[in-house]
Amino acid sequence: MTSQTLRDARKYEEVYEKNISGESRPAFHLSARIGWMNDPNGFSYYDGKYHMFYQYHPYDCHWGPMHWGHAVSADLLHWEYLPAALAPDESYDKDGCYSGSALTLPDGRQLLMYTGVVREPQKNGGFLEIQTQCLAVGDGRDYEKYAHNPVLDEKDLPKGSSRYDFRDPKMWQRADGTYLCVVGNRPADGSGQVVMFESTDGFQWKFKKVLAENQGRFGLMWECPDFFFLDGKAVLITSPQDMLPKELEYHNGNGTLCLIGDYDKETDTFTQQHDQSIDYGIDFYAPQTILTPDGRRIMIGWMQNWDTCTLRNTDLPWFGQMSLPRELSIKNGRLYQQPLRELEGLRCNRAAYKNVVFHETTVLPGIKGRRIDMELSLAPGDAERMYEKFAVRFAQNDRYYTAFSFRPKESVLKIDRKFSGTRKAIIHQRRSLVNAKNGELKLRLILDRFSAELFINDGEQTMTAVIYTDLDADGISFYADGSVRMDIVKFDLEEKEYETV
Ligand code: FRU
């Protein structure tokens, strides 16, 4: 039975999304149907389609009582909205249905696991959130919450672990048909840990072990864990809160973390060998992955960060976008990310130049646009003298631009969206150390109307940022201090319309 709360949300989104024109949304990134969107949830392939749910507050452009929004896609680029899937309408989730995941049951139904939130008033007038794990079962459109919710609560946690920070279950099925899930949690030391639970039927869950402990190394609480095997390695991704910076690898605040290591399937023991940021730009958080039917591990993140949510004016009808789906691989102990290969199907209007040597600001005929896929290969233009700086400016007119700039002597690549039209004093720049030998660097820049995603050295690193620059700022220019030689191939990316099923 659909609750009144869910019926209200469904009615609201259906009526009010009509006020949002196609041009005021991204063309091939999923955005909130109406109101607010954060984390990707329940990313799955079910009944012949990709499903993406998301943290959703339809009534406002701010975070509020969390619902689950819902969209489906055949190719991960064209999304169709479905009615909201979950609303905070039960005693155990009345203050929010937080992040979670999905899988397909043997009987063909789809199982969702999410965090139910109930606010507990405190003596000081504030409140803490009691977080438990809950289930809902459905047919890909309508979901019924499980009668025995919650299925995991504080009683299932190791002693000293917090019942207030216990969220974001990610489930998967093992080869033997049983299920595991990982959940973010906070142990007695106040930092983060990932706890693992197992189940034979998807409904009755029991504690298995602490899969990974933060021990204060990477921020505090670890949100939105995901665990999978890829290219012979075990990979744990999570989004730590309250990070301290570490050189240019990790920045302050909410960050992303990828731990790569080995896994002993007999004892379910994860041994970490490498750590890295997932994205080195400004706006990327809480990513979730799936294994596609053709065996690719694909990741989508919330293309935003909690620390920069005020970038956009809040009187607008929608807030929040998902990143491009990214194909993952592991090479030499590093996570590589490449844009979903289907994106190439949207390419049109090719423009290419080889061996362009330039010394100052340069504009190239045919190189402009706000929905583009552009590959650049850089090298010094003068074999005797290394250049000082290269920059590509985009979303540019006489008032605005955003830039990626590279200083080969420091091997530092920087994004700067200070002049993108923002009126807020928040983080607008971020720098990353990149691998570049002799001033050579490969970049692939994907622009959608309101975002820039940069893939560096064939996916060795990424830098992502949203920009809300006026759409008529569609210029692109290149700049060199010194002499730069550049090959460039640029495509426009075709428009695709959003549809409602
Ligand atoms: C991460 C997060 C999750 C939580 C959700 C609430 O961005 O804080 O831990 O489930 O957002 O909307």
Side-chain angles (χ1 to χ4, degrees):
M1 267 299 288
T2 315
S3 69
Q4 188 59 44
T5 318
L6 185 59
R7 281 203 300 276
D8 287 349
R10 287 180 164 192
K11 187 80 205 148
Y12 185 89
E13 60 185 5
E14 198 188 320
V15 170
Y16 286 95
E17 75 163 352
K18 297 201 172 77
N19 301 337
I20 307 178
S21 71
E23 297 77 55
S24 62
R25 287 184 182 281
F28 49 92
H29 289 78
L30 180 64
S31 56
R33 184 172 180 181
I34 179 85
W36 166 278
M37 160 195 275
N38 59 292
D39 314 355
N41 293 161
F43 186 21
S44 52
Y45 187 79
Y46 176 73
D47 205 14
K49 282 200 172 136
Y50 293 101
H51 287 247
M52 180 57 91
F53 304 83
Y54 53 90
Q55 289 287 279
Y56 183 37
H57 185 222
Y59 303 111
D60 197 349
C61 244
H62 291 109
W63 188 88
M66 280 292 112
H67 297 57
W68 274 33
H70 191 184
V72 289
S73 172
D75 62 0
L76 294 166
L77 295 169
H78 317 99
W79 292 96
E80 297 167 9
Y81 293 112
L82 288 181
L86 300 176
D89 51 16
E90 293 287 346
S91 57
Y92 50 83
D93 65 14
K94 67 183 177 54
D95 293 312
C97 299
Y98 280 11
S99 288
S101 56
L103 53 76
T104 306
L105 291 166
D107 64 8
R109 292 177 303 162
Q110 193 177 34
L111 180 71
L112 309 181
M113 192 193 276
Y114 66 97
T115 301
V117 172
V118 176
R119 287 181 172 186
E120 183 188 67
Q122 303 296 299
K123 285 202 193 73
N124 65 5
F127 60 84
L128 287 171
E129 293 178 349
I130 298 179
Q131 302 185 336
T132 60
Q133 314 319 317
C134 305
L135 300 173
V137 180
D139 60 359
R141 187 183 183 101
D142 297 306
Y143 296 83
E144 194 152 335
K145 290 180 182 167
Y146 183 47
H148 304 293
N149 278 342
V151 293
L152 289 170
D153 64 18
E154 60 182 303
K155 294 192 291 299
D156 301 289
L157 285 170
K159 203 164 174 295
S161 297
S162 170
R163 62 186 180 138
Y164 303 118
D165 284 300
F166 177 36
R167 58 182 175 271
D168 312 334
K170 173 73 200 262
M171 309 180 278
W172 70 96
Q173 192 173 29
R174 286 154 138 178
D176 68 1
T178 63
Y179 304 95
L180 288 171
C181 81
V182 286
V183 188
N185 184 223
R186 202 188 269 264
D189 75 1
S191 74
Q193 66 183 5
V194 173
V195 279
M196 187 182 233
F197 299 88
E198 69 182 338
S199 170
T200 49
D201 61 359
F203 292 89
Q204 299 196 39
W205 290 86
K206 64 173 199 291
F207 177 76
K208 188 162 184 66
K209 67 184 303 173
V210 175
L211 182 71
E213 290 173 300
N214 184 3
Q215 292 172 333
R217 294 170 301 159
F218 306 103
L220 297 176
M221 167 68 184
W222 282 358
E223 299 191 306
C224 301
D226 192 348
F227 184 69
F228 52 89
F229 300 102
L230 185 61
D231 298 331
K233 300 307 268 183
V235 184
L236 177 64
I237 62 176
T238 184
S239 296
Q241 296 179 310
D242 305 300
M243 290 194 88
L244 289 172
K246 187 177 160 213
E247 290 163 4
L248 295 182
E249 187 63 34
Y250 300 107
H251 56 75
N252 312 65
N254 288 278
T256 50
L257 174 68
C258 176
L259 300 175
I260 299 171
D262 285 334
Y263 192 72
D264 180 342
K265 286 195 174 153
E266 297 297 304
T267 58
D268 287 293
T269 304
F270 174 58
T271 313
Q272 180 208 315
Q273 291 155 340
H274 307 279
D275 68 88
Q276 64 170 97
S277 274
I278 301 175
D279 192 280
Y280 295 80
I282 305 172
D283 299 304
F284 193 82
Y285 197 68
Q288 206 173 67
T289 72
I290 50 160
L291 192 61
T292 59
D294 63 2
R296 287 177 286 169
R297 179 61 61 171
I298 307 275
M299 176 178 74
I300 292 185
W302 181 38
M303 197 157 51
Q304 191 61 57
N305 187 295
W306 288 108
D307 299 324
T308 55
C309 286
T310 53
L311 178 70
R312 195 166 198 211
N313 280 342
T314 46
D315 54 356
L316 291 157
W318 66 269
F319 179 90
Q321 308 176 56
M322 293 302 169
S323 75
L324 210 59
R326 300 172 178 188
E327 299 190 11
L328 304 184
S329 57
I330 305 285
K331 283 182 215 152
N332 303 323
R334 248 202 101 75
L335 181 75
Y336 275 69
Q337 303 169 50
Q338 287 282 36
L340 183 82
R341 64 191 69 159
E342 284 81 348
L343 189 73
E344 287 161 35
L346 306 190
R347 285 172 164 182
C348 57
N349 305 333
R350 183 174 188 272
Y353 295 84
K354 255 195 154 358
N355 285 323
V356 186
V357 177
F358 58 101
H359 309 92
E360 43 193 36
T361 299
T362 301
V363 176
L364 298 167
I367 307 291
K368 65 176 187 125
R370 285 290 285 272
R371 297 191 316 275
I372 63 153
D373 183 348
M374 181 167 74
E375 292 176 345
L376 307 176
S377 300
L378 309 178
D382 177 347
E384 307 292 306
R385 243 180 102 221
M386 181 58 75
Y387 58 97
E388 294 295 326
K389 181 178 169 183
F390 160 85
V392 50
R393 294 180 168 182
F394 52 92
Q396 184 175 23
N397 61 10
D398 47 16
R399 235 180 144 187
Y400 304 124
Y401 69 89
T402 294
F404 283 102
S405 59
F406 174 56
R407 290 186 178 273
K409 291 181 181 166
E410 292 140 40
S411 223
V412 167
L413 184 64
K414 180 171 114 178
I415 176 157
D416 188 346
R417 64 165 181 204
K418 202 168 49 198
F419 301 107
S420 65
T422 167
R423 294 171 191 277
K424 305 291 180 198
I426 55 172
I427 296 284
H428 292 313
Q429 301 176 337
R430 192 148 276 148
R431 293 180 305 147
S432 174
L433 202 59
V434 296
N435 272 322
K437 271 192 218 84
N438 308 322
E440 290 175 14
L441 190 65
K442 264 183 93 176
L443 302 174
R444 181 167 170 198
L445 177 62
I446 316 264
L447 299 184
D448 196 348
R449 290 197 176 92
F450 306 110
S451 61
E453 288 167 278
L454 188 70
F455 296 80
I456 303 154
N457 289 333
D458 298 312
E460 189 180 30
Q461 285 172 289
T462 61
M463 291 179 93
T464 302
V466 296
I467 50 169
Y468 290 103
T469 315
D470 293 349
L471 289 173
D472 55 9
D474 65 352
I476 294 177
S477 65
F478 303 94
Y479 168 83
D481 177 357
S483 174
V484 171
R485 178 185 299 273
M486 179 174 74
D487 291 345
I488 171 167
V489 184
K490 178 244 152 189
F491 299 89
D492 289 326
L493 294 169
E494 269 171 12
E495 176 69 76
K496 293 289 169 184
E497 279 301 317
Y498 276 75
E499 280 169 32
T500 307
V501 189

